[in-house]
Amino acid sequence: MQNTVPSKQVLLKTFLTGLRRRNITNKGMTLLERKRAIKFSADLAMASVRKEAKWSNALMADLSRKFQRKTVLPSKHRHVVIKGNKVSTHKRGARRRCAAKATAIAKCIIRKREQVLRRLVPGGKCMDECTLLDETLDYLQLLKAQVDVMRLLVKALE
Amino acid sequence: MSSRRGRITDEEMNELISKLQLLLPESRRRNVGRASAGKLLKETCSYIKSLHREVDDLSDRLSQLMATMDDNSPQADIIRSLLRS
């Protein structure tokens, strides 16, 4: 996947345009409503700037669901459950057991951490290992850029 | 890069590991040390979570800063100029 660093300028403009569209200056908005609109625009900006990525499509799908709901009702969407692979250790061959156990534990730890990562990256639950890491790299770049853009905006407005 | 489905090869893993390490900030890179997939995944997850928290914080602050914003305020001017540039 193409990992070109997105222009922060483009990201900033997309973000600001999104904020405008969500009518951020509406006086009737509570602080919480405005905050939600801001977060929504931030996610939307990130996803718009990188349309090819799987995480981006997953995020867009998520955002359009939120947009349709528009309220704060608890979500009832299906949670995709990843059944963790059971690590089995051989009951026979006591000598091999220790070495096998150590590798098994290491693999188990990695698998568990991978599960956490799957929850953090949009769309991660449906990706294979290789894609997941690739997408994580890309998502991280965009996330960092978005944080920078927001910091910049805070600084400009303070 | 993601042409192969399923389990990843060692070389591919190593390449991704080094790329991920480069993306982590200096302080977290030190925690990972030599390429260890487990530690790297842990630091990456932790880093993503902290970035999510930061987006949340910054959204709070922006919400407060924009609370008093209207078309004539200096903040609106700033935003307009940022959009123009």
Side-chain angles (χ1 to χ4, degrees):
Chain A
M1 176 172 25
Q2 202 34 292
N3 280 334
T4 50
V5 181
S7 150
K8 282 197 194 148
Q9 195 72 313
V10 171
L11 192 56
L12 175 63
K13 283 194 186 175
T14 315
F15 180 44
L16 289 173
T17 312
L19 287 177
R20 255 212 201 148
R21 287 216 187 103
R22 317 254 338 140
N23 204 8
I24 280 292
T25 52
N26 181 3
K27 293 293 172 191
M29 265 188 170
T30 62
L31 271 176
L32 188 56
E33 282 169 344
R34 194 174 299 112
K35 175 186 173 177
R36 284 211 184 101
I38 291 171
K39 278 186 92 168
F40 188 95
S41 303
D43 279 343
L44 188 61
M46 278 173 59
S48 315
V49 162
R50 179 77 96 222
K51 296 203 170 94
E52 330 77 64
K54 290 201 164 89
W55 66 260
S56 165
N57 289 322
L59 189 52
M60 283 284 206
D62 199 41
L63 289 174
S64 59
R65 273 194 295 270
K66 281 187 187 157
F67 188 75
Q68 278 155 26
R69 280 203 304 264
K70 264 188 181 172
T71 57
V72 197
L73 291 174
S75 64
K76 286 184 184 169
H77 58 259
R78 272 173 289 131
H79 289 283
V80 176
V81 174
I82 308 273
K83 295 215 162 94
N85 291 335
K86 223 181 154 192
V87 174
S88 63
T89 50
H90 294 289
K91 291 201 173 135
R92 296 174 197 164
R95 271 175 228 162
R96 287 196 308 259
R97 212 188 295 166
C98 276
K101 221 178 187 177
T103 328
I105 289 176
K107 282 190 181 162
C108 190
I109 290 177
I110 290 185
R111 211 159 280 153
K112 284 202 171 132
R113 292 200 176 143
E114 224 176 70
Q115 306 286 44
V116 176
L117 189 60
R118 284 178 191 280
R119 269 180 266 135
L120 291 171
V121 175
K125 295 173 184 175
C126 315
M127 296 174 192
D128 63 66
E129 194 176 300
C130 192
T131 315
L132 177 67
L133 289 174
D134 223 9
E135 292 277 323
T136 303
L137 275 169
D138 197 55
Y139 180 58
L140 250 185
Q141 272 189 326
L142 257 297
L143 201 48
K144 282 169 84 176
Q146 183 63 38
V147 165
D148 284 342
V149 159
M150 288 173 87
R151 276 191 200 142
L152 187 138
L153 195 55
V154 166
K155 226 180 173 182
L157 294 178
E158 266 175 350
Chain B
M1 174 110 207
S2 321
S3 47
R4 273 195 52 207
R5 298 202 127 255
R7 300 234 78 103
I8 193 173
T9 65
D10 279 347
E11 303 94 81
E12 283 173 340
M13 180 63 121
N14 286 331
E15 199 185 328
L16 285 170
I17 282 178
S18 37
K19 281 189 185 165
L20 258 181
Q21 267 185 299
L22 286 172
L23 275 182
L24 296 176
E26 193 61 53
S27 49
R28 287 181 183 273
R29 226 178 285 172
R30 268 181 258 131
N31 292 346
V32 178
R34 296 170 112 228
S36 144
K39 275 201 178 141
L40 183 69
L41 281 175
K42 186 179 171 198
E43 276 307 319
T44 306
C45 290
S46 162
Y47 187 40
I48 294 181
K49 280 187 205 163
S50 81
L51 285 174
H52 283 169
R53 274 195 302 268
E54 214 180 331
V55 169
D56 200 71
D57 272 342
L58 290 165
S59 300
D60 252 327
R61 285 165 73 183
L62 280 173
S63 177
Q64 286 164 358
L65 285 167
M66 290 177 168
T68 51
M69 199 168 84
D70 59 36
D71 280 339
N72 301 320
S73 62
Q75 288 113 332
D77 276 338
I78 292 173
I79 292 198
R80 270 191 286 264
S81 68
L82 282 170
L83 273 167
R84 247 181 277 130
S85 60

